[in-house]
Amino acid sequence: MDPVTRARLGKVNVSTLTNCLLRRGLRNQFLHGVAPVTPGLPNMVGPAFTLRFIPSREDLDTMANYQLETHVQRRAMEECPEGFVLVVDSHGDARAASAGDLLIGRLKARGCAGIVTDGGYRDLPGIVRTGLPAYQRQTASPATPITLHPADLNLPIGCAGVAVYPGDIVVGDTEGVVVIPAHLVDEIAIEALSTVEYEEFAEEKIAEGRSIYGIFPATDESRAEYELWKKNRN
């Protein structure tokens, strides 16, 4: 991922990114119902590496099989590349954990950028201690094999109703998570950062008593005023 694009995305919010995507006709890129495990964790930016669960089956999902090095969930923690976000398709099932603190701690130690699931995690205090950005639908204490079978890695998945392709760019903040198609990310990062800077100007003027008419959404006149405001501030 271009480090300049990554830095730009780190300065913008998810709500602005959803607007940028909407202008391009993309209406379903926000993961509804998925939120950070706790306030105060860093924002998250990185390409997607995917893990897909299917419903478990008693003859396959045993603790003995879980210990194998070929176990797909455990492989995900060792194979998700540095700087990537592990996105987990748990088919919305939070009756058992998509991961716990030790697995997520391994992602942190390997330099991964975060983890997202439309299910839930166990060992929440330990996850918070890792400091890794982690997003879930709700906490799920029971062990993974009770309801989830890890099926495959780094293939297209659905997470919280959103299509996620390996290499898509995943951005998370306090409001949630958005997925940006990889081929659009550079232009969207530029547009989003420009939008955030304009909104600082608009927020200041509205606080001074200006009407939203003629300033939000931006007009040619307000853009010209913004450019002067930016020049004077700099």
Side-chain angles (χ1 to χ4, degrees):
M1 183 178 179
D2 184 339
V4 174
T5 295
R6 185 188 287 269
R8 285 172 176 152
L9 291 174
K11 297 176 182 178
V12 302
N13 51 53
V14 165
S15 58
T16 298
L17 292 170
T18 62
N19 282 349
C20 294
L21 289 161
L22 178 59
R23 293 187 191 103
R24 291 159 176 82
L26 293 163
R27 299 171 177 268
N28 185 43
Q29 301 302 120
F30 181 76
L31 275 61
H32 290 281
V34 170
V37 296
T38 189
L41 291 175
N43 287 358
M44 176 180 71
V45 180
F49 184 88
T50 63
L51 164 62
R52 184 174 70 97
F53 283 109
I54 63 174
S56 65
R57 203 174 75 186
E58 287 79 4
D59 59 330
L60 297 176
D61 295 288
T62 64
M63 293 312 296
N65 282 343
Y66 182 79
Q67 294 174 354
L68 299 175
E69 291 187 4
T70 55
H71 189 270
V72 172
Q73 182 192 29
R74 298 177 72 203
R75 283 179 51 208
M77 308 304 158
E78 298 293 339
E79 296 179 21
C80 182
E82 181 179 352
F84 279 59
V85 175
L86 181 60
V87 184
V88 184
D89 174 4
S90 300
H91 53 94
D93 190 345
R95 292 177 297 161
S98 302
D101 59 347
L102 296 182
L103 298 185
I104 291 174
R106 180 58 179 157
L107 291 176
K108 171 69 173 180
R110 295 185 51 255
C112 297
I115 182 171
V116 181
T117 182
D118 58 2
Y121 306 122
R122 64 189 306 188
D123 312 310
L124 203 61
I127 293 171
V128 173
R129 284 195 297 271
T130 71
L132 186 73
Y135 294 77
Q136 64 173 3
R137 185 180 298 278
Q138 66 184 70
T139 303
S141 293
T144 304
I146 292 175
T147 66
L148 298 173
H149 172 81
D152 45 50
L153 293 178
N154 219 30
L155 295 174
I157 61 168
C159 187
V162 175
V164 183
Y165 290 81
D168 282 349
I169 305 304
V170 185
V171 181
D173 65 9
T174 57
E175 293 186 347
V177 177
V178 66
V179 177
I180 306 171
H183 69 283
L184 295 175
V185 70
D186 293 334
E187 63 184 70
I188 283 180
I190 293 169
E191 180 182 321
L193 185 57
S194 174
T195 299
V196 167
E197 291 171 348
Y198 176 84
E199 287 179 353
E200 290 177 11
F201 157 76
E203 181 180 353
E204 179 180 306
K205 296 305 175 184
I206 290 169
E208 292 171 356
R210 288 272 292 274
S211 168
I212 60 171
Y213 296 132
I215 197 168
F216 183 79
T219 63
D220 291 342
E221 292 77 12
S222 69
R223 282 285 182 190
E225 185 181 355
Y226 159 68
E227 292 297 334
L228 181 61
W229 172 86
K230 185 168 64 171
K231 180 179 179 180
N232 290 336
R233 188 174 69 161
N234 291 340

